[in-house]
Amino acid sequence: MAFANTAGGTLLVGVEDRSRHVRGVADPLDVEERLANLVSDRISPRIVPEIEILPWRRTQALALQVHPSASRPHHLTREGPAGGVYVRVGSTNRRADVELIEELRRFARGEGFDEQPMPGLDSEALDFRAASESFAAFRKLARRDLETLRLVTDHQGRKVPTVGGMILFGTDRERHFPDAWIQAGRFQGTDKSRIVDRVEVRTLPVRAIEEAIAFVHKHALHGAEIGAVRRKERWNLPPEAVREAIINAVAHTDYAQRGAPLRLSIFDDRLEVENPGLLPFGLTLEDLPRGVSKLRNRLIGRIFHALGLIEQWGSGIQRMTAACREAGLTPPVFEELATRFRVTIATARVGRPMLDDTDQAILESLAGN
């Protein structure tokens, strides 16, 4: 059921968890029937998995494959739809809370939280001047464009802001979304026992991204290389990787969650960027390096794309990874922790920085005397 609610998966019966030793099952046909009955009788709405008997040496195991379901959220029948919904987080099963259950329902309906109307407000709740300033470098914004961009929508004959519109340009956004801000800190050492600098970034998201990046740059300067002509600054965190990590966090945050803001933590050996929300349903950690992407907040994503913050769908993770590799760093690490998502960029070099075309041309000229 947890597989069906999230990204699917395969359950192997007859294989030990930790050692992965194949012990097999004594009567595979009987176990197959029992499995099918258990799944059918105890989960609602009903799930129909694919069950296959796998021969292995002198025994047999069973593989129960579950695909992501269009009927989610599924729940344990005996626990009911309010308390019996489980999701898969890494290698564990977690009981879904009210916010996560509602997100599962929106996902099944093909709706985004940031596209929903806010009926208690009117279009004046948006800061048109702030929106115009954000778009100034790209186009002149007219009030009718707010509707075209889905920052405003029709609701029962009235123009009201959408959730995404309020998050991006709301005049009183913190009252409605008190956790839509960035908490940034620089810690001494490799844990959070001693903080040496902190800042709360509560400006509108487009500006908050730049302020968060500036905070990282303030603390990420590792040193300088003194050449024959000029001094060249050397960063221990690749600026492009930092930018992608922060933009992705803001774009993919689950703003329906309450209790904690986005967090940016700088340590002596790494940068951590953490946002509320698991990966969008149907997406796994293994999909990320391959460029597979699903945007949780489609409205916010479209605005970021129009503002040049997002260049191409699904390319942010790959650009982040390439920037780390070119700087001689290990690839970024992606984790799901409880109901949050974290990106970690280590600062220790494991190889020599890659040469760009200009560097390579200079070396070839020198080699040719």
Side-chain angles (χ1 to χ4, degrees), residues 199-343:
V199 66
E200 294 184 357
V201 185
R202 296 182 178 270
T203 51
L204 297 177
V206 176
R207 193 177 306 158
I209 288 171
E210 300 303 328
E211 292 182 19
I213 292 171
F215 181 83
V216 177
H217 285 181
K218 174 184 174 183
H219 293 284
L221 185 61
H222 181 69
E225 296 172 353
I226 309 299
V229 179
R230 60 175 60 90
R231 177 180 185 271
K232 183 180 179 182
E233 294 180 339
R234 178 162 54 87
W235 302 89
N236 62 349
L237 286 166
E240 186 174 3
V242 171
R243 185 177 185 83
E244 292 295 339
I246 294 174
I247 290 174
N248 281 350
V250 175
H252 290 280
T253 285
D254 182 2
Y255 290 100
Q257 282 194 27
R258 293 290 188 268
L262 289 80
R263 290 200 176 101
L264 190 156
S265 306
I266 306 172
F267 302 91
D268 287 355
D269 63 343
R270 69 193 186 280
L271 166 71
E272 293 179 356
V273 182
E274 186 178 300
N275 63 272
L278 299 172
L279 287 174
F281 302 116
L283 195 65
T284 66
L285 293 172
E286 290 75 19
D287 292 329
L288 299 180
R290 297 195 292 266
V292 181
S293 176
K294 290 187 177 182
L295 195 62
R296 169 180 277 111
N297 300 304
R298 292 178 293 191
L299 188 154
I300 294 175
R302 287 196 298 269
I303 298 298
F304 280 10
H305 184 63
L307 295 176
L309 294 172
I310 296 177
E311 295 182 11
Q312 183 180 352
W313 305 121
S315 63
I317 298 295
Q318 291 182 318
R319 284 199 302 273
M320 192 190 314
T321 303
C324 291
R325 184 177 63 250
E326 290 169 5
L329 306 179
T330 56
V333 177
F334 308 103
E335 299 173 279
E336 289 180 303
L337 305 167
T339 56
R340 299 176 68 84
F341 181 77
R342 177 188 291 172
V343 178

Side-chain angles (χ1 to χ4, degrees), residues 123-124 126 128-129 141-148 152:
S123 59
E124 296 301 316
L126 296 185
F128 179 72
R129 181 179 178 181
L141 206 65
R143 284 196 173 272
R144 63 179 178 273
D145 293 330
L146 297 181
E147 191 170 357
T148 305
V152 170

Side-chain angles (χ1 to χ4, degrees), residues 7-23:
T10 303
L11 177 68
L12 295 175
V13 182
V15 181
E16 292 181 349
D17 283 344
R18 295 183 180 178
S19 68
R20 299 189 179 185
H21 171 65
V22 181
R23 299 179 62 180

